[in-house]
């Protein structure tokens, strides 16, 4: 069965390829055309084809395929062009730098050490295959040692091909890593915590007999927050890059929008994430600007766009959904679990979740007022951590004043 059929994760990417690539008359032409497409994508959208934009239409979610079919030369010309296995070339790619050396060409790529194993593969098979097919040599630092992967070869085309394939592998496996950090607004001010505890007490008093409702579902009041987006930062260099980007965002647009002052918001009302309130997994408090403006939403959306453009964050939706999780079925088994803001990475745990009936909670607490809060900073928060106040430890922050 494995020899004759692609697994689902392969067919998804295969079906997104242009017709000219799929209908290649030979393996060598297919490799050339595939490298050209991938190289073009790296230059244009840094592999957005593997994580296309999602569009919501009529309650359904559709993918927006960003691949554009490209014109190729006649088959006879390409057969001659790729007659030799090691002579296959790519279109020029300016997504990275290829240096000419005395012995040929080389390209360097910064890779966090936790991702080395995906380039090496089981018993070194992936690395060997890449080197053989592209006629290059790939030098990888020792495990746990931060550094650069260096690709060398006698032909520039081979180095470009190897680098493109390495980038594809890294991009694919990075998306499978659980997130390590997230951008957040802290909502754990004492007044908000007090109202949240009141909410929790009243829910348990009035709705504890509803299916699945228990005290284990509630958020830790010291960790109440708004999530703007999640990030996978695998070493100190990537953390510094995220911190530097936050400061550039402050200078470029945040100070102008916020006016150098904290944003006053109100936390009021509750809503559920999924389609059926009788089978709720996440219940959240709604947040809005007290002055009725959309400044908080604008800042959140522009931050997301900048981080997505930098490659530090995946874009899941066109707009950030501003919400503060108050109940989550993930907390039932793991009180320290953070909600993923609809951006699940790695292996999903949905099958292990036991939903609760939130119908009565929604009726009784639809307009519950949690209070007013001054938002004065966007924090780069570390997952599974705590500071002296009980909130998540902060790797960096953007202040409004």
């Amino acid at each position: 069965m494995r020899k004759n059929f692609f697994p689902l994760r392969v067919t998804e990417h295969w079906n997104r390829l242009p017709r000219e690539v799929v209908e290649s008359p030979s393996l060598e032409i297919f490799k050339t055309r595939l490298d050209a497409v991938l190289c073009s994508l790296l230059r244009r959208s840094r592999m957005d084809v593997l994580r296309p934009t999602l569009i919501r239409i009529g309650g359904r979610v559709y993918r927006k395929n960003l691949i554009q079919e490209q014109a190729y030369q006649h088959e006879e010309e390409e057969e001659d062009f790729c007659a030799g296995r090691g002579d296959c070339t790519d279109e020029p790619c300016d997504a990275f730098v290829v240096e000419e050396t005395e012995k040929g060409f080389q390209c360097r790529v910064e890779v966090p050490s936790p991702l080395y194993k995906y380039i090496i593969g089981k018993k070194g098979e992936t690395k060997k295959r890449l080197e053989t097919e592209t006629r290059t040599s790939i030098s990888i630092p020792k495990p746990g040692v931060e550094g650069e992967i260096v690709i060398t070869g006698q032909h520039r085309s081979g180095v470009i091909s190897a680098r493109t394939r390495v980038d594809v592998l890294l991009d694919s496996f990075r998306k499978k890593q659980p997130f390590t950090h997230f951008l957040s607004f802290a909502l754990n001010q004492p007044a908000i915590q007090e109202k949240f505890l009141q909410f929790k007490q009243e829910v348990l008093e009035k709705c504890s007999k509803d299916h699945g409702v228990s005290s284990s579902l509630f958020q830790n009041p010291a960790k109440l927050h708004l999530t703007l987006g999640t990030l996978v930062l695998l070493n100190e260099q990537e953390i510094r890059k995220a911190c530097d980007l936050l400061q550039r965002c402050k200078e470029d647009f945040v100070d102008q929008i916020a006016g150098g002052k904290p944003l006053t918001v109100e936390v009021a009302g509750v809503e559920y994430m999924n389609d059926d309130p009788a089978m709720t997994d996440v219940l959240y408090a709604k947040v809005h600007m007290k002055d009725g403006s959309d400044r908080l939403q604008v800042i959140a959306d522009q931050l997301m766009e900048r981080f997505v453009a930098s490659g530090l964050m995946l874009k899941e939706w066109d707009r950030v959904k501003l919400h503060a999780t108050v109940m989550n079925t993930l907390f039932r088994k793991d009180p320290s679990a953070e909600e993923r803001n609809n951006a699940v990475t790695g292996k999903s745990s949905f099958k292990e979740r036991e939903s609760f009936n939130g119908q009565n909670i929604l009726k009784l607490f639809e307009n519950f007022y949690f209070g007013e809060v001054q938002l004065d900073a966007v924090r780069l928060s570390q997952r599974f951590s705590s500071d002296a106040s009980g909130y998540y430890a902060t790797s960096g922050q953007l202040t409004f004043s």
Side-chain angles (χ1 to χ4, degrees):
M1 181 72 75
R2 290 180 181 232
K3 294 182 179 179
N4 298 320
F5 295 92
F6 285 128
L8 178 60
R9 60 184 179 183
V10 173
T11 59
E12 286 180 356
H13 301 321
W14 176 269
N15 291 336
R16 296 172 186 162
L17 292 174
R19 183 186 305 169
E20 286 84 355
V21 177
V22 175
E23 296 180 353
S24 298
S26 69
L27 178 60
E28 295 302 336
I29 293 177
F30 171 78
K31 289 180 179 180
T32 299
R33 292 178 174 180
L34 179 62
D35 284 343
V37 169
L38 295 178
C39 196
S40 175
L41 288 170
L42 286 169
R43 180 171 63 246
R44 199 170 59 243
S45 60
R46 295 302 297 175
M47 296 309 298
D48 280 345
V49 65
L50 298 181
R51 48 173 186 267
T53 300
L54 301 179
I55 303 174
R56 298 182 69 88
I57 302 176
R60 295 177 178 238
V61 179
Y62 297 89
R63 294 182 311 217
K64 181 179 179 182
N65 196 337
L66 300 181
I67 295 182
Q68 298 178 354
E69 295 191 356
Q70 302 180 4
Y72 291 89
Q73 300 176 355
H74 295 297
E75 304 298 345
E76 298 81 52
E77 295 177 351
E78 296 219 12
E79 288 285 4
D80 294 338
F81 193 69
C82 291
R85 180 172 184 177
D87 296 330
C88 292
T89 62
D90 306 290
E91 292 181 355
C93 185
D94 58 6
F96 42 79
V97 176
V98 177
E99 302 172 336
E100 187 171 2
T101 66
E102 295 180 356
K103 297 182 179 180
F105 298 86
Q106 75 173 17
C107 182
R108 298 175 178 272
V109 52
E110 292 186 3
V111 179
S113 58
L115 297 182
Y116 293 165
K117 60 183 179 182
Y118 301 114
I119 305 302
I120 297 172
K122 185 178 181 180
K123 296 182 179 180
E125 293 177 357
T126 301
K127 178 175 177 288
K128 292 176 183 177
R129 185 174 68 253
L130 286 172
E131 292 176 326
T132 300
E133 293 181 354
T134 61
R135 292 192 172 183
T136 59
S137 176
I138 302 175
S139 176
I140 302 175
K142 295 181 180 180
V145 178
E146 297 297 336
E148 295 178 321
I149 289 179
V150 181
I151 303 170
T152 58
Q154 293 183 354
H155 302 284
R156 185 175 189 274
S157 60
V159 173
I160 290 177
S161 179
R163 169 61 190 268
T164 301
R165 298 182 195 191
V166 166
D167 282 346
V168 172
L169 283 172
L170 293 174
D171 185 85
S172 176
F173 284 106
R174 177 181 281 276
K175 290 190 297 182
K176 297 179 181 180
Q177 305 300 310
F179 74 88
T180 61
H181 295 72
F182 58 100
L183 296 182
S184 72
F185 284 110
L187 297 178
N188 64 342
Q189 288 78 356
I192 299 292
Q193 289 195 47
E194 183 178 347
K195 292 292 291 185
F196 171 78
L197 291 174
Q198 177 187 335
F199 167 78
K200 177 180 179 180
Q201 180 180 349
E202 293 183 11
V203 167
L204 292 176
E205 289 176 354
K206 300 176 182 179
C207 307
S208 60
K209 294 183 179 180
D210 294 343
H211 174 74
V213 175
S214 72
S215 61
S216 63
L217 298 178
F218 291 85
Q219 174 68 280
N220 179 345
K223 293 186 179 293
L224 287 168
H225 66 278
L226 298 178
T227 299
L228 305 186
T230 58
L231 305 93
V232 177
L233 305 178
L234 300 177
N235 58 22
E236 289 299 322
Q237 290 86 343
E238 293 187 344
I239 293 174
R240 285 199 298 270
K241 182 179 178 181
C243 292
D244 291 343
L245 182 56
L246 268 181
Q247 295 310 310
R248 290 198 299 273
C249 289
K250 172 181 171 65
E251 298 170 1
D252 292 347
F253 61 87
V254 172
D255 282 346
Q256 181 178 357
I257 297 172
K261 299 178 181 179
L263 301 180
T264 303
V265 303
E266 290 183 319
V267 185
V270 294
E271 190 55 89
Y272 61 103
M273 280 289 189
N274 48 304
D275 296 330
D276 186 358
M279 298 185 65
T280 300
D281 282 320
V282 176
L283 192 75
Y284 63 90
K286 295 181 286 187
V287 179
H288 62 269
M289 287 288 297
K290 186 177 182 179
D291 62 8
S293 72
D294 64 348
R295 289 186 296 157
L296 177 60
Q297 185 70 56
V298 171
I299 289 175
D301 290 341
Q302 290 195 24
L303 282 170
M304 178 192 69
E305 292 292 343
R306 290 290 292 271
F307 273 79
V308 168
S310 73
L312 291 172
M313 184 182 293
L314 296 181
K315 184 173 183 178
E316 296 295 324
W317 309 103
D318 290 334
R319 303 185 73 196
V320 175
K321 186 176 182 63
L322 296 171
H323 68 284
T325 297
V326 293
M327 298 176 69
N328 191 329
T329 53
L330 284 179
F331 299 151
R332 193 190 300 278
K333 291 187 176 181
D334 183 4
S336 66
E338 293 92 2
E339 53 89 12
R340 292 173 178 261
N341 195 34
N342 291 332
V344 179
T345 55
K347 296 183 179 180
S348 173
S349 60
F350 286 140
K351 292 182 180 179
E352 302 175 0
R353 302 176 78 156
E354 178 189 349
S355 301
F356 66 94
N357 188 342
Q359 291 175 308
N360 285 333
I361 298 176
L362 290 165
K363 291 179 182 178
L364 296 173
F365 301 93
E366 180 181 6
N367 298 311
F368 187 89
Y369 188 73
F370 291 90
E372 178 182 307
V373 61
Q374 302 285 320
L375 301 182
D376 59 0
V378 177
R379 304 168 191 264
L380 179 61
S381 301
Q382 300 176 30
R383 194 182 183 201
F384 301 131
S385 67
S386 297
D387 61 15
S389 70
Y391 192 68
Y392 302 98
T394 300
S395 297
Q397 63 179 4
L398 178 166
T399 58
F400 290 169
S401 55

